Amino acid sequence: MKMQNLVVVHELYPALVEALSDAFNLTHFTRLVDDQDRAAFEEAMAQADAYLGSNVAFTEALLDKAPHLKVVASVSVGVDSYPIEAMRERGIVLTNTPDVLTESTADTGFLLLMMAARRAGEMLRKVRDHEWTASLSREDFGVDVHGKTLGIVGMGRIGQAVARRGHDGFGMSVNYTNRSAKPEVEAALDARRVDLETLFRESDFICVTVPLSAETEGLIGREHFALTRPHAVFVNISRGKVVREDELVACLQDGTLHCAGLDVYEREPLSTASPLMTLDNAVCLPHIGSSTFQTRNAMCDLAVDNVKRVLAGEGAITAV
């Protein structure tokens, strides 16, 4: 039986590369670095039966160059980089990798929340720059997390996992916004569904976990930060474009917003010229949400299973 052609643009663990090489005619790029890589990628896609990967923006023009393509397995939860309707018209199945990254991403959200609350990044720089020469003064103090109010923007899988950490681990009250009510979450976490403005006004910590869509792009800006409490902490682990970044920066600069913890940005990687680089009240991580060995391996395994099932004429485990 003729082996099918699989194109991968993703860093895979060695045993998986070996297994895929045995099962497919494999063309593997860790990432597309330059025009030469891009040309080789498009040449491979011309014969591809399946694609697996992330960080490649698909267009209708690219789909036109891949006439044999049957499945695109994105190693991600978000699928905002894909022209979904155009893929459906061509009969291409799009899959993603939810669930397996929920807990790791929620860990990252709470890491940012804690770092911002206790000014950990700023204090680390103080130690490394040899500025810690006496007991800390009040100007170096952070804020408590335990017993405070946590606001979750988007109570999906990740939002629930962040809320559970706050409620169960830190005794936090939970506010949330969501398109629909979550009575089971309200019962388990004593959570309260409110509108977005109320959430910003009545929460000490605000964590954004909504997916990027036409509805959520630019959802949050100055008018929301202006409602926050004096020591409020804002955390974004969803997508950078959910927040109007220029307004976020301005509010951090002028004190409208006390502090922010960010793992995502409008443009990634974050430009070295970004004002966020110079702000002590912004904790910036390089989109590490699901970046653990265990989680990334599980995401790749799920994406591979989706490819195999679709090519075998079976339903994908997690089709979009």
Side-chain angles (χ1 to χ4, degrees), residues 166-179:
H167 178 270
D168 296 350
F170 290 81
M172 301 178 84
S173 302
V174 177
N175 294 328
Y176 78 98
T177 64
N178 204 63
R179 284 184 296 182

Side-chain angles (χ1 to χ4, degrees), residues 112-120 141-145 205 233 259:
L112 281 165
L113 187 153
M114 292 290 295
M115 288 183 69
R118 298 304 300 269
R119 301 170 63 181
F141 289 177
V143 296
D144 281 333
V145 175
F205 297 89
V233 172
C259 195

